[in-house]
């Protein structure tokens, strides 16, 4: 009778664990049967909120779908993504930059409010377009945080969107009322950031 | 003497706050002068780790750069992104899917280890290509977690990469040694997930 060596024992134990893991995984997948448009929120202080939203746009475009983007803050770092998406998929991306720039650059409350309202109107129009599968409301959370838009009306409109429409809302400090309404909330946590080490914003990384 | 009404008071207070905020912001930006390739880690249980990495690829491509991707887990949900990037930027994206599928589907330790090693070799080759600005090592954390690759050697190679190369490592359970070496670490936290409500994986959202 041969005694299995350690490597073989590890291989056998690995296989046993993975068979059990696969059974759990398959059972979980089998329980999930609903298809519907999702309301997704990317919030938190970490990097990747807008970037993940634009990655999702890429995913949709890879499946032949159409995507809409409304930016509530003009120039909020996304020049690279905009250039790439507009160049690669000019017929399938609708992009509206409606904001007035970071609120600390604008320094004018009335202009900020008017810009947020115009951006929201563009968003409502985009969400009504049945050819668009995903609408990204980039930095909408900032406009909500500063009360530039009525929270209740915004959330109600998002909740009452058509059934198959996916929406991503990005920005720090998502309002609890929006989080409650969302299907998916990802909190991007900042564990470590190179800005603290004196590294500047670089093309392709921050914008 | 006219008394400012509440709206005017709010506008004035807003302007004052924003001027102060801008001064802080400008001072912070002025302190950041270093340009260098970053080692970025996207980890945590939440959604968006790989998606944000592919969003970053889009950003780089928008700036005319070249991007490389090595997938350590085959079929790890990224079919949409791959299709979109390869279709839109065939000359500027190098994509290698080297893994063997989720480890609980493979159930074979020796094959998993061999696949991880082959993927790592492809990564090393890609990082040596001076025309590539960003290399995405998708789900490398999984291979490290299961000890399919020697952690010390992987981290040393990443630390000793050429100065201008940006690298993103994705996957849950990033090793502390890797986090220590990284310039940027984002922990994607799972606040709320539609899978829990019985919603299935959908094209354009999960893959």
């Amino acid at each position: 009778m041969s005694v299995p060596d350690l490597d073989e024992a590890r291989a056998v134990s690995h296989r046993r664990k993975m068979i059990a893991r696969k059974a759990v995984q398959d059972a979980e997948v089998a329980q999930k049967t609903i298809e519907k448009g999702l309301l997704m929120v990317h919030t938190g202080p970490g990097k990747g909120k807008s970037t993940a939203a634009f990655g999702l746009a890429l995913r949709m475009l890879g499946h032949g779908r159409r995507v809409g983007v409304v930016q509530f803050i003009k120039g909020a770092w996304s020049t690279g993504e905009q250039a790439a998406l507009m160049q690669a998929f000019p017929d399938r991306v609708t992009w509206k930059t409606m904001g007035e720039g970071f609120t600390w650059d604008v320094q004018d409350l009335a202009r900020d409010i008017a810009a947020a309202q115009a951006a929201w109107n563009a968003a409502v129009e985009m969400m009504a377009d049945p050819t668009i599968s995903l609408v990204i409301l980039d930095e909408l959370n900032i406009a909500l945080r500063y009360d530039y838009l009525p929270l209740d009306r915004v959330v109600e409109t998002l909740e009452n969107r058509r059934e198959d429409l996916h929406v991503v809302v990005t920005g720090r400090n998502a309002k609890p009322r929006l989080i409650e309404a969302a299907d998916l909330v990802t909190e991007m946590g900042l564990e470590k950031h190179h800005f603290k080490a004196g590294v500047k914003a670089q093309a392709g990384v921050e914008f």
Side-chain angles (χ1 to χ4, degrees), chain A:
Chain A
M1 199 178 88
S2 75
V3 180
D5 64 16
L6 270 179
D7 281 353
E8 197 188 324
R10 189 184 166 206
V12 168
S13 150
H14 175 87
R15 181 148 203 277
R16 194 175 297 130
K17 265 189 232 158
M18 289 305 130
I19 287 172
R21 173 81 187 270
K22 181 165 168 55
V24 172
Q25 208 79 17
D26 289 350
E28 278 183 7
V29 169
Q31 280 171 8
K32 290 156 197 159
T33 53
I34 301 165
E35 285 195 42
K36 62 168 221 166
L38 299 172
L39 177 56
M40 295 172 265
V41 175
H42 297 175
T43 191
K47 202 163 143 44
K49 296 181 288 292
S50 296
T51 312
F54 295 123
L56 213 57
L58 196 62
R59 198 166 258 190
M60 283 285 173
L61 291 162
H63 287 283
R65 310 283 184 87
R66 296 189 70 234
V67 169
V69 178
V70 178
Q71 288 198 285
F72 284 76
I73 307 286
K74 190 164 64 181
W77 300 117
S78 56
T79 50
E81 292 95 321
Q82 183 174 10
L85 288 178
M86 300 306 285
Q87 176 198 325
F89 306 97
D91 304 330
R92 291 201 281 125
V93 178
T94 309
W95 191 296
K96 303 221 173 195
T97 302
M98 307 292 294
E100 280 274 11
F102 286 108
T103 189
W104 52 87
D105 284 328
V106 177
Q107 302 174 359
D108 182 331
L109 184 61
R111 262 174 65 196
D112 274 347
I113 291 175
Q117 187 58 58
W120 177 246
N121 293 344
V124 169
E125 199 182 318
M126 216 174 257
M127 291 191 284
D129 178 345
T131 70
I132 292 181
S133 297
L134 169 71
V135 171
I136 296 173
L137 304 177
D138 191 43
E139 304 289 4
L140 171 58
N141 285 336
I142 307 273
L144 293 172
R145 183 192 183 188
Y146 286 107
D147 294 322
Y148 293 167
L149 293 170
L151 178 65
D152 283 347
R153 190 154 58 82
V154 165
V155 175
E156 271 162 34
T157 306
L158 293 174
E159 285 176 323
N160 295 321
R161 74 196 185 283
R162 52 173 228 271
E163 266 183 25
D164 60 336
L165 178 67
H166 301 288
V167 173
V168 186
V169 175
T170 79
R172 290 179 181 221
N173 302 103
K175 293 276 188 179
R177 172 89 179 79
L178 177 65
I179 287 177
E180 197 188 311
D183 298 290
L184 173 80
V185 178
T186 305
E187 166 91 14
M188 271 71 171
L190 187 63
E191 297 294 307
K192 196 171 182 180
H193 203 293
H194 49 283
F195 283 178
K196 293 220 170 110
V199 179
K200 66 193 277 193
Q202 298 175 90
V205 179
E206 272 84 20
F207 56 91

